[in-house]
Amino acid sequence: QVQLVESGGGLVQSGGSLRLSCTASGSIFAINVMGWYRQAPGNEREFVAAITSDGSPNYADSVKGRFTISRDNVNNTVYLQMNSLKPEDTAVYYCKLTMGVLPDSWGQGTQVTVSS
C-alpha cells in the first residue's frame, strides 16, 4: 500500500518559520494531489494547502500569503513552508495523498506548536 511519512514539526515562536516535509512510498500514480490538513484539539480537521502533480497549488484563506506548498515529483515529496506563524496555527499537521478514485492516504501527523 501507500505510506506517508511526515517530518519537520516542532516548537516555534510567533512570527517564526517552519518547514514540513512528507514523503510518499508504495504504488504512487504519476497524476495525484498531495496536501496538508491540520487539526487542533477540539476542532475539526481543516484543509491547509494542496498541490497537483503538475504544480498547481491551492491554499486555505487563513494561510494564504504566509504558507507555500511545493513538491518534488521524483521523490514523491511535498513540502509546506510556513512563515509568519501565529499561535492559531498550532495543530497536528497531516499529509494527504489523493489518487483518482482510490481511497485517500494519510500520514500519522506532526505536531506544530507556536508560542505567543
Side-chain angles (χ1 to χ4, degrees):
Q1 270 284 47
V2 175
Q3 184 175 9
L4 276 56
V5 179
E6 300 136 326
S7 64
L11 305 174
V12 65
Q13 293 185 47
S14 181
S17 298
L18 215 55
R19 190 176 83 151
L20 307 183
S21 300
C22 171
T23 298
S25 61
S27 184
I28 311 298
F29 294 171
I31 300 175
N32 61 69
V33 178
M34 299 185 76
W36 294 92
Y37 287 69
R38 67 187 182 187
Q39 187 168 23
N43 290 8
E44 291 186 351
R45 188 171 299 187
E46 66 174 353
F47 170 79
V48 176
I51 186 167
T52 63
S53 48
D54 63 4
S56 181
N58 285 293
Y59 299 95
D61 288 341
S62 59
V63 306
K64 219 170 266 182
R66 300 188 297 121
F67 292 8
T68 302
I69 189 168
S70 61
R71 62 185 293 160
D72 177 353
N73 288 340
V74 174
N75 295 300
N76 292 313
T77 299
V78 63
Y79 305 94
L80 186 67
Q81 178 66 47
M82 304 184 293
N83 298 325
S84 302
L85 282 163
K86 307 173 181 179
E88 49 262 47
D89 295 318
T90 296
V92 177
Y93 283 69
Y94 297 92
C95 179
K96 188 179 83 168
L97 170 65
T98 300
M99 298 186 293
V101 299
L102 295 174
D104 294 336
S105 297
W106 292 88
Q108 291 299 112
T110 184
Q111 177 70 49
V112 171
T113 302
V114 184
S115 62
S116 60

